[in-house]
Coordinates of all heavy atoms in Angstrom, one line a residue:
M8 N 28.2 -16.2 -0.3 CA 27.5 -17.2 -1.0 C 28.3 -17.6 -2.2 O 28.7 -16.8 -3.0 CB 26.1 -16.5 -1.5 CG 25.1 -17.6 -1.8 SD 23.5 -16.8 -2.3 CE 22.7 -16.6 -0.8
T9 N 28.3 -18.9 -2.4 CA 29.1 -19.5 -3.5 C 28.2 -19.5 -4.8 O 27.0 -19.4 -4.8 CB 29.6 -20.9 -3.2 OG1 28.4 -21.7 -3.2 CG2 30.3 -21.0 -2.0
Q10 N 28.9 -19.6 -5.9 CA 28.2 -19.7 -7.2 C 27.3 -20.8 -7.3 O 26.2 -20.8 -7.8 CB 29.3 -19.7 -8.3 CG 28.7 -19.7 -9.7 CD 28.0 -18.4 -10.0 OE1 28.3 -17.3 -9.6 NE2 26.9 -18.4 -10.8
T11 N 27.7 -22.0 -6.7 CA 26.8 -23.2 -6.7 C 25.6 -23.0 -5.9 O 24.5 -23.3 -6.4 CB 27.6 -24.4 -6.1 OG1 28.8 -24.5 -6.8 CG2 26.8 -25.7 -6.2
T12 N 25.7 -22.3 -4.8 CA 24.5 -22.0 -3.9 C 23.6 -21.0 -4.7 O 22.3 -21.2 -4.7 CB 24.9 -21.4 -2.6 OG1 25.8 -22.3 -2.0 CG2 23.7 -21.2 -1.7
T13 N 24.2 -20.0 -5.3 CA 23.3 -19.0 -6.0 C 22.7 -19.7 -7.2 O 21.4 -19.4 -7.4 CB 24.3 -17.9 -6.5 OG1 24.9 -17.3 -5.4 CG2 23.4 -16.8 -7.3
D14 N 23.4 -20.5 -7.9 CA 22.7 -21.2 -9.1 C 21.6 -22.1 -8.6 O 20.5 -22.2 -9.2 CB 23.8 -22.1 -9.8 CG 24.8 -21.2 -10.6 OD1 24.5 -20.0 -10.8 OD2 25.8 -21.8 -11.1
G15 N 21.8 -22.8 -7.5 CA 20.7 -23.7 -6.9 C 19.5 -22.9 -6.5 O 18.4 -23.3 -6.8
R16 N 19.7 -21.8 -5.9 CA 18.6 -20.9 -5.4 C 17.9 -20.4 -6.6 O 16.6 -20.3 -6.6 CB 19.1 -19.8 -4.5 CG 19.5 -20.3 -3.2 CD 19.6 -19.3 -2.2 NE 18.4 -18.6 -2.0 CZ 18.1 -17.5 -1.4 NH1 19.2 -16.9 -0.8 NH2 16.9 -17.0 -1.3
L17 N 18.6 -20.0 -7.7 CA 18.0 -19.5 -8.9 C 17.1 -20.6 -9.6 O 16.0 -20.3 -9.9 CB 19.0 -18.9 -9.9 CG 19.5 -17.6 -9.5 CD1 20.7 -17.2 -10.5 CD2 18.5 -16.5 -9.6
R18 N 17.7 -21.8 -9.6 CA 16.9 -22.9 -10.2 C 15.6 -23.1 -9.4 O 14.6 -23.4 -9.9 CB 17.7 -24.2 -10.2 CG 18.6 -24.2 -11.5 CD 19.2 -25.6 -11.7 NE 20.0 -26.1 -10.5 CZ 21.2 -25.8 -10.3 NH1 22.0 -25.1 -11.2 NH2 21.9 -26.3 -9.2
D19 N 15.8 -23.1 -8.0 CA 14.6 -23.3 -7.1 C 13.6 -22.2 -7.4 O 12.3 -22.5 -7.4 CB 15.0 -23.3 -5.7 CG 15.8 -24.6 -5.3 OD1 15.8 -25.6 -6.1 OD2 16.4 -24.6 -4.2
L20 N 14.0 -21.0 -7.5 CA 13.1 -19.8 -7.7 C 12.4 -20.0 -9.1 O 11.2 -19.7 -9.1 CB 13.8 -18.5 -7.6 CG 14.2 -18.1 -6.2 CD1 15.1 -16.9 -6.2 CD2 13.0 -17.9 -5.3
E21 N 13.2 -20.4 -10.1 CA 12.6 -20.5 -11.4 C 11.6 -21.7 -11.4 O 10.5 -21.5 -12.0 CB 13.7 -20.8 -12.4 CG 14.5 -19.6 -12.8 CD 15.7 -20.0 -13.7 OE1 16.0 -21.2 -13.8 OE2 16.3 -19.1 -14.2
A22 N 11.9 -22.7 -10.7 CA 11.0 -23.9 -10.7 C 9.7 -23.5 -9.9 O 8.6 -23.8 -10.3 CB 11.6 -25.0 -10.0
E23 N 9.8 -22.7 -8.8 CA 8.6 -22.2 -8.1 C 7.8 -21.3 -8.9 O 6.6 -21.4 -8.9 CB 9.1 -21.6 -6.8 CG 8.0 -21.1 -5.9 CD 7.1 -22.2 -5.4 OE1 7.6 -23.4 -5.2 OE2 5.9 -22.0 -5.2
A24 N 8.5 -20.4 -9.6 CA 7.8 -19.4 -10.5 C 7.0 -20.2 -11.6 O 5.9 -19.9 -11.9 CB 8.8 -18.5 -11.1
F25 N 7.7 -21.2 -12.2 CA 7.0 -22.0 -13.2 C 5.8 -22.7 -12.6 O 4.7 -22.7 -13.2 CB 8.0 -23.0 -13.7 CG 7.4 -23.9 -14.8 CD1 7.2 -23.5 -16.1 CD2 7.0 -25.3 -14.5 CE1 6.6 -24.3 -17.0 CE2 6.5 -26.1 -15.4 CZ 6.3 -25.6 -16.7
R26 N 5.9 -23.4 -11.5 CA 4.7 -24.1 -10.8 C 3.7 -23.0 -10.5 O 2.5 -23.4 -10.8 CB 5.2 -24.8 -9.5 CG 5.9 -26.1 -9.8 CD 6.1 -26.9 -8.5 NE 6.9 -26.2 -7.5 CZ 8.2 -26.2 -7.4 NH1 9.0 -26.9 -8.3 NH2 8.9 -25.5 -6.5
T27 N 4.0 -21.9 -10.0 CA 3.0 -20.9 -9.7 C 2.3 -20.4 -10.9 O 1.1 -20.2 -11.0 CB 3.6 -19.7 -9.0 OG1 4.3 -20.1 -7.8 CG2 2.6 -18.6 -8.7
G28 N 3.0 -20.2 -12.0 CA 2.5 -19.8 -13.3 C 1.6 -20.8 -13.9 O 0.5 -20.5 -14.4
R29 N 2.0 -22.1 -13.8 CA 1.1 -23.2 -14.3 C -0.1 -23.3 -13.5 O -1.3 -23.5 -14.0 CB 1.9 -24.5 -14.2 CG 1.2 -25.6 -14.9 CD 2.0 -26.8 -15.1 NE 2.5 -27.3 -13.8 CZ 3.5 -28.1 -13.6 NH1 4.1 -28.6 -14.6 NH2 3.8 -28.5 -12.3
T30 N 0.0 -23.1 -12.1 CA -1.2 -23.2 -11.3 C -2.2 -21.9 -11.6 O -3.4 -22.1 -11.7 CB -0.8 -23.0 -9.8 OG1 0.0 -24.2 -9.5 CG2 -2.0 -23.0 -8.9
L31 N -1.6 -20.7 -11.8 CA -2.4 -19.6 -12.2 C -3.1 -19.8 -13.5 O -4.3 -19.5 -13.7 CB -1.6 -18.4 -12.2 CG -1.2 -17.8 -10.8 CD1 -0.2 -16.7 -11.0 CD2 -2.4 -17.4 -10.0
A32 N -2.4 -20.4 -14.5 CA -3.0 -20.7 -15.8 C -4.1 -21.7 -15.6 O -5.2 -21.5 -16.3 CB -1.9 -21.2 -16.7
Q33 N -3.9 -22.7 -14.8 CA -5.0 -23.7 -14.6 C -6.2 -23.0 -14.0 O -7.4 -23.3 -14.4 CB -4.6 -24.9 -13.8 CG -5.6 -26.0 -13.6 CD -6.0 -26.6 -14.9 OE1 -5.2 -26.9 -15.7 NE2 -7.3 -26.7 -15.1
H34 N -6.0 -22.2 -12.9 CA -7.1 -21.5 -12.3 C -7.8 -20.6 -13.3 O -9.1 -20.5 -13.3 CB -6.6 -20.7 -11.1 CG -6.2 -21.5 -9.9 ND1 -6.9 -22.6 -9.6 CD2 -5.2 -21.4 -9.0 CE1 -6.3 -23.2 -8.4 NE2 -5.3 -22.4 -8.1
S35 N -7.0 -19.9 -14.1 CA -7.6 -19.0 -15.1 C -8.5 -19.9 -16.1 O -9.6 -19.4 -16.5 CB -6.5 -18.3 -15.9 OG -7.1 -17.5 -16.9
Q36 N -8.0 -21.0 -16.6 CA -8.8 -21.9 -17.4 C -10.1 -22.3 -16.8 O -11.1 -22.4 -17.3 CB -7.9 -23.1 -17.9 CG -8.6 -24.0 -18.7 CD -9.0 -23.5 -20.1 OE1 -8.3 -22.7 -20.7 NE2 -10.3 -23.8 -20.5
D37 N -10.0 -22.8 -15.5 CA -11.1 -23.2 -14.8 C -12.1 -22.1 -14.6 O -13.3 -22.3 -14.8 CB -10.7 -23.7 -13.3 CG -9.8 -25.0 -13.4 OD1 -9.8 -25.7 -14.5 OD2 -9.2 -25.3 -12.4
L38 N -11.6 -20.9 -14.3 CA -12.6 -19.7 -14.2 C -13.3 -19.5 -15.5 O -14.5 -19.2 -15.6 CB -11.8 -18.5 -13.8 CG -12.6 -17.3 -13.5 CD1 -13.7 -17.5 -12.5 CD2 -11.7 -16.1 -13.1
G39 N -12.6 -19.6 -16.7 CA -13.2 -19.4 -18.0 C -14.2 -20.5 -18.2 O -15.3 -20.2 -18.8
D40 N -13.9 -21.7 -17.8 CA -14.9 -22.8 -18.0 C -16.2 -22.6 -17.2 O -17.3 -22.8 -17.6 CB -14.3 -24.2 -17.6 CG -13.2 -24.6 -18.6 OD1 -13.1 -24.1 -19.7 OD2 -12.5 -25.6 -18.2
I41 N -16.0 -22.1 -16.0 CA -17.1 -21.9 -15.1 C -18.0 -20.7 -15.7 O -19.2 -20.8 -15.7 CB -16.6 -21.5 -13.7 CG1 -16.1 -22.7 -13.0 CG2 -17.8 -20.9 -12.8 CD1 -15.3 -22.5 -11.7
K42 N -17.3 -19.7 -16.2 CA -18.0 -18.5 -16.8 C -18.9 -19.0 -18.0 O -20.0 -18.6 -18.2 CB -17.1 -17.4 -17.2 CG -16.6 -16.6 -16.0 CD -15.7 -15.5 -16.5 CE -15.2 -14.8 -15.2 NZ -14.2 -13.7 -15.6
A43 N -18.3 -19.9 -18.8 CA -18.9 -20.4 -20.0 C -20.2 -21.2 -19.5 O -21.3 -21.2 -20.1 CB -18.0 -21.3 -20.8
Q44 N -20.0 -22.0 -18.5 CA -21.1 -22.8 -18.0 C -22.3 -21.9 -17.5 O -23.4 -22.2 -17.7 CB -20.7 -23.8 -16.9 CG -19.8 -24.9 -17.4 CD -19.1 -25.7 -16.3 OE1 -19.3 -25.4 -15.2 NE2 -18.4 -26.7 -16.7
Q45 N -21.9 -20.8 -16.8 CA -22.9 -19.9 -16.3 C -23.6 -19.3 -17.4 O -24.8 -19.1 -17.3 CB -22.3 -18.9 -15.4 CG -21.8 -19.4 -14.0 CD -21.1 -18.4 -13.2 OE1 -20.5 -17.4 -13.8 NE2 -21.1 -18.5 -11.9
R46 N -22.9 -18.8 -18.4 CA -23.5 -18.2 -19.6 C -24.6 -19.2 -20.2 O -25.7 -18.8 -20.6 CB -22.5 -17.8 -20.6 CG -21.9 -16.4 -20.3 CD -21.1 -15.9 -21.6 NE -20.0 -16.8 -21.9 CZ -18.8 -16.8 -21.4 NH1 -18.5 -16.0 -20.5 NH2 -17.9 -17.6 -21.8
T47 N -24.2 -20.4 -20.4 CA -25.0 -21.4 -20.9 C -26.3 -21.6 -20.1 O -27.4 -21.6 -20.5 CB -24.3 -22.8 -21.1 OG1 -23.2 -22.6 -22.0 CG2 -25.3 -23.8 -21.7
A48 N -26.1 -21.7 -18.7 CA -27.2 -22.0 -17.8 C -28.1 -20.8 -17.9 O -29.4 -20.9 -17.9 CB -26.7 -22.2 -16.4
F49 N -27.6 -19.5 -17.8 CA -28.5 -18.3 -17.8 C -29.1 -18.2 -19.2 O -30.4 -17.8 -19.2 CB -27.7 -17.1 -17.5 CG -27.3 -17.0 -16.0 CD1 -26.0 -16.8 -15.7 CD2 -28.3 -17.1 -15.1 CE1 -25.7 -16.7 -14.3 CE2 -27.9 -17.1 -13.7 CZ -26.6 -16.8 -13.3
S50 N -28.5 -18.6 -20.3 CA -29.2 -18.5 -21.6 C -30.3 -19.5 -21.6 O -31.4 -19.2 -22.1 CB -28.2 -18.9 -22.6 OG -28.8 -19.0 -23.9
N51 N -30.1 -20.7 -21.0 CA -31.2 -21.7 -21.0 C -32.4 -21.2 -20.2 O -33.6 -21.4 -20.5 CB -30.7 -23.0 -20.5 CG -29.8 -23.7 -21.4 OD1 -29.7 -23.4 -22.6 ND2 -29.0 -24.7 -20.9
I52 N -32.1 -20.6 -19.0 CA -33.1 -20.0 -18.2 C -33.9 -18.9 -18.9 O -35.1 -18.9 -18.9 CB -32.5 -19.5 -16.8 CG1 -32.1 -20.6 -16.0 CG2 -33.5 -18.6 -16.1 CD1 -31.2 -20.2 -14.8
D53 N -33.1 -18.0 -19.6 CA -33.8 -17.0 -20.4 C -34.7 -17.5 -21.5 O -35.8 -17.1 -21.7 CB -32.7 -16.0 -21.0 CG -32.1 -15.1 -20.0 OD1 -32.6 -15.0 -18.9 OD2 -31.0 -14.6 -20.3
S54 N -34.2 -18.6 -22.2 CA -35.0 -19.2 -23.2 C -36.3 -19.9 -22.7 O -37.4 -19.7 -23.2 CB -34.2 -20.3 -23.9 OG -33.1 -19.8 -24.6
L55 N -36.2 -20.5 -21.5 CA -37.3 -21.0 -20.9 C -38.3 -20.0 -20.4 O -39.6 -20.1 -20.6 CB -36.9 -21.9 -19.6 CG -38.1 -22.5 -18.9 CD1 -38.8 -23.5 -19.7 CD2 -37.5 -23.3 -17.7
A56 N -37.8 -18.9 -19.9 CA -38.7 -17.8 -19.5 C -39.4 -17.2 -20.7 O -40.6 -16.8 -20.7 CB -37.9 -16.7 -18.8
D57 N -38.6 -17.0 -21.8 CA -39.2 -16.5 -23.0 C -40.4 -17.5 -23.5 O -41.4 -17.0 -24.0 CB -38.2 -16.3 -24.1 CG -37.3 -15.2 -23.9 OD1 -37.6 -14.4 -23.0 OD2 -36.2 -15.1 -24.5
A58 N -40.1 -18.8 -23.4 CA -41.1 -19.7 -23.9 C -42.4 -19.7 -23.0 O -43.5 -19.8 -23.5 CB -40.5 -21.1 -23.8
I59 N -42.2 -19.4 -21.7 CA -43.4 -19.4 -20.8 C -44.1 -18.1 -20.9 O -45.3 -18.1 -20.9 CB -42.9 -19.6 -19.4 CG1 -42.4 -21.0 -19.2 CG2 -44.0 -19.3 -18.4 CD1 -41.8 -21.3 -17.8
G60 N -43.4 -17.0 -21.2 CA -44.1 -15.8 -21.3 C -43.4 -14.6 -20.6 O -42.6 -14.9 -19.8
A61 N -43.9 -13.4 -20.8 CA -43.3 -12.3 -20.2 C -43.8 -12.2 -18.7 O -44.9 -12.4 -18.5 CB -43.7 -11.0 -20.9
P62 N -42.9 -11.7 -17.8 CA -43.3 -11.6 -16.5 C -44.4 -10.6 -16.3 O -44.4 -9.6 -17.0 CB -42.0 -11.1 -15.8 CG -40.9 -11.4 -16.7 CD -41.5 -11.4 -18.1
G63 N -45.3 -10.9 -15.5 CA -46.4 -9.9 -15.2 C -47.6 -10.1 -16.1 O -48.7 -9.6 -15.8
D64 N -47.5 -10.8 -17.2 CA -48.6 -11.1 -18.1 C -49.6 -12.0 -17.4 O -50.8 -11.7 -17.3 CB -48.2 -11.8 -19.4 CG -47.4 -10.8 -20.3 OD1 -47.5 -9.6 -20.1 OD2 -46.8 -11.3 -21.3
R65 N -49.1 -13.1 -17.0 CA -50.0 -14.1 -16.3 C -49.1 -14.7 -15.2 O -47.9 -14.7 -15.2 CB -50.4 -15.2 -17.2 CG -51.3 -14.7 -18.4 CD -51.5 -15.8 -19.4 NE -50.3 -16.0 -20.2 CZ -50.0 -17.1 -20.8 NH1 -50.8 -18.1 -20.9 NH2 -48.9 -17.3 -21.4
S66 N -49.8 -15.4 -14.3 CA -49.1 -16.1 -13.2 C -48.4 -17.3 -13.8 O -48.8 -17.8 -14.9 CB -50.0 -16.5 -12.1 OG -50.8 -17.6 -12.5
L67 N -47.4 -17.8 -13.2 CA -46.6 -19.0 -13.7 C -47.6 -20.1 -13.8 O -47.5 -20.9 -14.8 CB -45.5 -19.3 -12.6 CG -44.6 -20.5 -13.1 CD1 -44.0 -20.3 -14.4 CD2 -43.6 -20.7 -12.0
T68 N -48.5 -20.3 -12.9 CA -49.5 -21.4 -13.0 C -50.3 -21.3 -14.2 O -50.6 -22.3 -14.9 CB -50.4 -21.4 -11.7 OG1 -49.5 -21.6 -10.5 CG2 -51.3 -22.6 -11.7
Q69 N -50.8 -20.1 -14.5 CA -51.6 -19.8 -15.6 C -50.8 -20.2 -16.9 O -51.3 -20.8 -17.9 CB -52.1 -18.4 -15.7 CG -53.2 -18.1 -14.6 CD -53.5 -16.6 -14.6 OE1 -52.6 -15.8 -14.8 NE2 -54.7 -16.3 -14.2
R70 N -49.5 -19.7 -16.9 CA -48.7 -20.0 -18.1 C -48.5 -21.5 -18.3 O -48.6 -22.0 -19.5 CB -47.4 -19.2 -18.0 CG -47.6 -17.8 -18.2 CD -46.3 -17.0 -18.1 NE -46.1 -16.6 -16.7 CZ -45.1 -16.0 -16.3 NH1 -44.0 -15.8 -17.0 NH2 -45.0 -15.6 -15.0
L71 N -48.2 -22.2 -17.2 CA -48.0 -23.6 -17.3 C -49.3 -24.3 -17.7 O -49.2 -25.3 -18.5 CB -47.4 -24.2 -16.0 CG -46.0 -23.7 -15.6 CD1 -45.6 -24.2 -14.2 CD2 -45.0 -24.2 -16.7
D72 N -50.4 -23.9 -17.2 CA -51.7 -24.5 -17.6 C -51.9 -24.3 -19.1 O -52.4 -25.2 -19.8 CB -52.9 -23.9 -16.8 CG -52.9 -24.4 -15.4 OD1 -52.2 -25.4 -15.0 OD2 -53.6 -23.7 -14.6
S73 N -51.5 -23.1 -19.6 CA -51.7 -22.8 -21.0 C -50.9 -23.7 -21.9 O -51.3 -24.3 -22.9 CB -51.3 -21.4 -21.3 OG -51.4 -21.1 -22.7
I74 N -49.6 -24.0 -21.4 CA -48.7 -24.8 -22.2 C -49.3 -26.3 -22.1 O -49.3 -27.0 -23.1 CB -47.3 -24.8 -21.6 CG1 -46.7 -23.5 -21.9 CG2 -46.4 -25.9 -22.1 CD1 -45.3 -23.2 -21.1
E75 N -49.7 -26.7 -20.9 CA -50.3 -28.0 -20.8 C -51.5 -28.2 -21.8 O -51.7 -29.3 -22.4 CB -50.7 -28.2 -19.4 CG -51.2 -29.7 -19.1 CD -51.4 -29.9 -17.6 OE1 -50.5 -30.1 -16.9 OE2 -52.6 -29.7 -17.2
G76 N -52.4 -27.2 -21.8 CA -53.5 -27.2 -22.8 C -53.1 -27.4 -24.2 O -53.7 -28.1 -25.0
E77 N -52.0 -26.6 -24.6 CA -51.5 -26.6 -25.9 C -50.9 -28.0 -26.3 O -51.1 -28.5 -27.4 CB -50.5 -25.6 -26.2 CG -51.1 -24.1 -26.2 CD -50.0 -23.1 -26.2 OE1 -48.8 -23.4 -26.4 OE2 -50.4 -21.9 -26.0
L78 N -50.3 -28.6 -25.3 CA -49.8 -30.0 -25.5 C -50.8 -31.0 -25.7 O -50.8 -31.9 -26.5 CB -48.9 -30.4 -24.3 CG -47.5 -29.7 -24.2 CD1 -46.8 -30.1 -22.9 CD2 -46.7 -30.0 -25.4
G79 N -52.0 -30.8 -24.9 CA -53.1 -31.7 -25.1 C -53.7 -31.5 -26.5 O -54.0 -32.5 -27.2
D80 N -53.7 -30.3 -27.1 CA -54.2 -30.1 -28.4 C -53.2 -30.8 -29.4 O -53.8 -31.4 -30.4 CB -54.2 -28.6 -28.8 CG -55.3 -27.8 -28.0 OD1 -56.2 -28.5 -27.4 OD2 -55.2 -26.6 -27.9
V81 N -52.0 -30.7 -29.2 CA -51.0 -31.3 -30.1 C -51.2 -32.8 -30.1 O -51.2 -33.5 -31.1 CB -49.6 -30.9 -29.7 CG1 -48.6 -31.8 -30.5 CG2 -49.3 -29.4 -30.0
K82 N -51.4 -33.4 -28.9 CA -51.6 -34.8 -28.8 C -52.9 -35.3 -29.5 O -52.9 -36.3 -30.3 CB -51.8 -35.3 -27.3 CG -50.4 -35.2 -26.6 CD -50.6 -35.7 -25.2 CE -49.3 -35.6 -24.3 NZ -49.5 -36.0 -22.9
R83 N -53.9 -34.5 -29.4 CA -55.2 -34.8 -30.2 C -54.9 -34.7 -31.7 O -55.4 -35.6 -32.4 CB -56.3 -33.9 -29.8 CG -57.0 -34.3 -28.5 CD -58.3 -33.5 -28.2 NE -58.0 -32.0 -28.0 CZ -57.5 -31.5 -26.9 NH1 -57.3 -32.2 -25.8 NH2 -57.3 -30.2 -26.8
D84 N -54.2 -33.7 -32.1 CA -53.9 -33.5 -33.5 C -53.1 -34.7 -34.0 O -53.3 -35.2 -35.1 CB -53.2 -32.2 -33.8 CG -54.1 -31.0 -33.6 OD1 -55.3 -31.2 -33.5 OD2 -53.5 -29.9 -33.5
L85 N -52.1 -35.2 -33.3 CA -51.3 -36.3 -33.6 C -52.1 -37.6 -33.8 O -52.0 -38.4 -34.6 CB -50.1 -36.5 -32.7 CG -49.0 -35.5 -32.7 CD1 -48.0 -35.7 -31.6 CD2 -48.3 -35.5 -34.1
G86 N -53.1 -37.7 -32.8 CA -54.0 -38.9 -32.9 C -54.8 -38.8 -34.1 O -55.0 -39.9 -34.7
D87 N -55.3 -37.7 -34.5 CA -56.0 -37.5 -35.8 C -55.1 -37.9 -37.0 O -55.6 -38.6 -37.9 CB -56.5 -36.1 -35.9 CG -57.6 -35.7 -34.9 OD1 -58.2 -36.7 -34.3 OD2 -57.9 -34.5 -34.8
V88 N -53.9 -37.4 -37.0 CA -53.0 -37.7 -38.1 C -52.7 -39.2 -38.1 O -52.7 -39.8 -39.2 CB -51.7 -36.9 -37.9 CG1 -50.6 -37.4 -38.9 CG2 -51.9 -35.5 -38.2
K89 N -52.6 -39.8 -37.0 CA -52.3 -41.3 -36.9 C -53.5 -42.1 -37.5 O -53.3 -43.0 -38.3 CB -52.1 -41.7 -35.5 CG -51.5 -43.0 -35.3 CD -51.2 -43.2 -33.8 CE -50.6 -44.6 -33.5 NZ -50.4 -44.8 -32.1
R90 N -54.7 -41.7 -37.1 CA -55.9 -42.4 -37.7 C -56.0 -42.2 -39.2 O -56.3 -43.1 -39.9 CB -57.1 -41.8 -37.0 CG -57.3 -42.4 -35.6 CD -58.7 -42.0 -35.0 NE -58.8 -40.6 -34.7 CZ -58.4 -39.9 -33.7 NH1 -57.7 -40.6 -32.8 NH2 -58.6 -38.6 -33.5
L91 N -55.7 -41.0 -39.7 CA -55.7 -40.7 -41.0 C -54.7 -41.5 -41.8 O -55.0 -42.1 -42.9 CB -55.5 -39.2 -41.3 CG -55.4 -38.8 -42.8 CD1 -56.7 -39.0 -43.4 CD2 -55.0 -37.3 -42.9
L92 N -53.5 -41.7 -41.3 CA -52.5 -42.5 -42.0 C -52.8 -43.9 -42.0 O -52.6 -44.6 -43.0 CB -51.1 -42.2 -41.3 CG -50.4 -40.9 -41.5 CD1 -49.2 -40.7 -40.6 CD2 -50.2 -40.6 -43.0
R93 N -53.4 -44.4 -40.9 CA -53.9 -45.8 -40.9 C -55.0 -46.0 -41.9 O -55.0 -47.0 -42.7 CB -54.4 -46.2 -39.5 CG -53.4 -46.4 -38.5 CD -53.9 -46.8 -37.2 NE -52.9 -47.1 -36.3 CZ -53.0 -47.1 -34.9 NH1 -54.2 -46.9 -34.4 NH2 -52.0 -47.4 -34.2
A94 N -55.9 -45.1 -42.0 CA -57.0 -45.2 -43.0 C -56.4 -45.2 -44.5 O -56.8 -46.0 -45.3 CB -58.0 -44.0 -42.9
L95 N -55.4 -44.3 -44.7 CA -54.8 -44.3 -46.0 C -54.0 -45.5 -46.3 O -54.1 -46.1 -47.4 CB -53.8 -43.1 -46.1 CG -54.4 -41.7 -46.2 CD1 -53.4 -40.6 -46.1 CD2 -55.2 -41.5 -47.5
A96 N -53.4 -46.1 -45.4 CA -52.7 -47.3 -45.5 C -53.6 -48.5 -45.9 O -53.4 -49.3 -46.8 CB -51.9 -47.7 -44.3
R97 N -54.8 -48.5 -45.2 CA -55.7 -49.6 -45.5 C -56.3 -49.5 -46.9 O -56.5 -50.5 -47.6 CB -56.9 -49.5 -44.4 CG -56.5 -50.1 -43.1 CD -57.7 -50.2 -42.2 NE -57.2 -50.4 -40.8 CZ -57.2 -49.4 -39.9 NH1 -57.7 -48.2 -40.2 NH2 -56.7 -49.7 -38.7
T98 N -56.6 -48.2 -47.3 CA -57.1 -48.0 -48.7 C -56.1 -48.5 -49.8 O -56.5 -48.8 -50.8 CB -57.5 -46.6 -49.0 OG1 -56.4 -45.7 -48.9 CG2 -58.6 -46.1 -48.0
Q99 N -54.9 -48.5 -49.4 CA -53.8 -49.0 -50.3 C -53.5 -50.4 -50.1 O -52.5 -51.0 -50.7 CB -52.5 -48.1 -50.2 CG -52.8 -46.7 -50.6 CD -51.5 -45.8 -50.4 OE1 -50.5 -46.3 -50.0 NE2 -51.7 -44.6 -50.7
G100 N -54.2 -51.1 -49.3 CA -54.0 -52.5 -49.1 C -52.9 -52.9 -48.1 O -52.3 -54.0 -48.1
I101 N -52.5 -51.9 -47.3 CA -51.4 -52.1 -46.4 C -52.0 -52.2 -44.9 O -52.8 -51.5 -44.5 CB -50.4 -50.9 -46.4 CG1 -49.8 -50.7 -47.8 CG2 -49.3 -51.0 -45.3 CD1 -49.0 -49.4 -47.9
D102 N -51.5 -53.3 -44.3 CA -52.0 -53.5 -42.9 C -51.2 -52.6 -42.0 O -49.9 -52.9 -41.8 CB -51.9 -54.9 -42.5 CG -52.4 -55.1 -41.1 OD1 -53.0 -54.2 -40.4 OD2 -52.1 -56.3 -40.5
P103 N -51.7 -51.5 -41.4 CA -50.9 -50.6 -40.6 C -50.4 -51.3 -39.3 O -49.5 -50.8 -38.6 CB -51.9 -49.4 -40.3 CG -53.2 -49.9 -40.5 CD -53.1 -51.1 -41.5
E104 N -51.0 -52.3 -38.9 CA -50.6 -53.0 -37.6 C -49.5 -54.0 -37.9 O -48.8 -54.4 -36.9 CB -51.8 -53.8 -37.0 CG -53.0 -52.8 -36.7 CD -52.7 -51.6 -35.9 OE1 -51.9 -51.8 -34.9 OE2 -53.3 -50.6 -36.1
A105 N -49.2 -54.4 -39.1 CA -48.1 -55.3 -39.4 C -46.8 -54.6 -39.3 O -46.7 -53.4 -39.7 CB -48.3 -55.9 -40.8
E106 N -45.8 -55.3 -38.9 CA -44.5 -54.7 -38.8 C -43.6 -55.0 -39.9 O -43.6 -56.0 -40.6 CB -43.8 -55.0 -37.5 CG -44.5 -54.4 -36.3 CD -43.8 -54.7 -35.0 OE1 -42.6 -55.0 -35.0 OE2 -44.5 -54.6 -34.0

């Protein structure tokens, strides 16, 4: 084997090793990104489960009904606040319907 052939083969091997290393680095980065996305997704699921309640306490339907009821209460309270603010505006001579 001549020196030129050996040098060419070494360059080819180095180039292949570089491409392989770059591919492995990209795969490693992609795997890290996927793991981060999974952690975020599982964290969101855990947060939702905590908001709904502890398993075994009540059925999912009961928990969702409870949340729905609480939302209804909040909507009623907001309606009361809105009426109060309109009344206060009128007492100060402000038309609450004017933009």
Side-chain angles (χ1 to χ4, degrees):
M8 199 181 272
T9 67
Q10 184 63 34
T11 304
T12 305
T13 303
D14 289 347
R16 288 195 61 190
L17 283 174
R18 275 192 304 274
D19 290 346
L20 287 172
E21 286 174 346
E23 182 64 28
F25 178 77
R26 283 190 299 273
T27 300
R29 190 171 56 197
T30 300
L31 288 173
Q33 182 60 48
H34 288 323
S35 178
Q36 177 65 40
D37 292 345
L38 183 60
D40 292 344
I41 290 168
K42 286 181 180 179
Q44 290 169 356
Q45 285 176 336
R46 277 191 301 275
T47 300
F49 287 128
S50 175
N51 291 342
I52 290 169
D53 289 342
S54 295
L55 180 58
D57 289 343
I59 291 174
D64 288 346
R65 298 172 286 160
S66 72
L67 182 59
T68 303
Q69 290 170 326
R70 288 182 267 174
L71 291 174
D72 286 344
S73 173
I74 290 171
E75 188 175 276
E77 290 172 12
L78 287 176
D80 294 342
V81 169
K82 286 180 183 178
R83 278 189 297 281
D84 292 345
L85 287 175
D87 292 343
V88 169
K89 191 174 182 181
R90 283 189 294 281
L91 176 64
L92 290 174
R93 283 184 178 158
L95 286 172
R97 284 188 196 103
T98 61
Q99 295 178 3
I101 300 170
D102 180 10
E104 304 304 323
E106 291 184 23

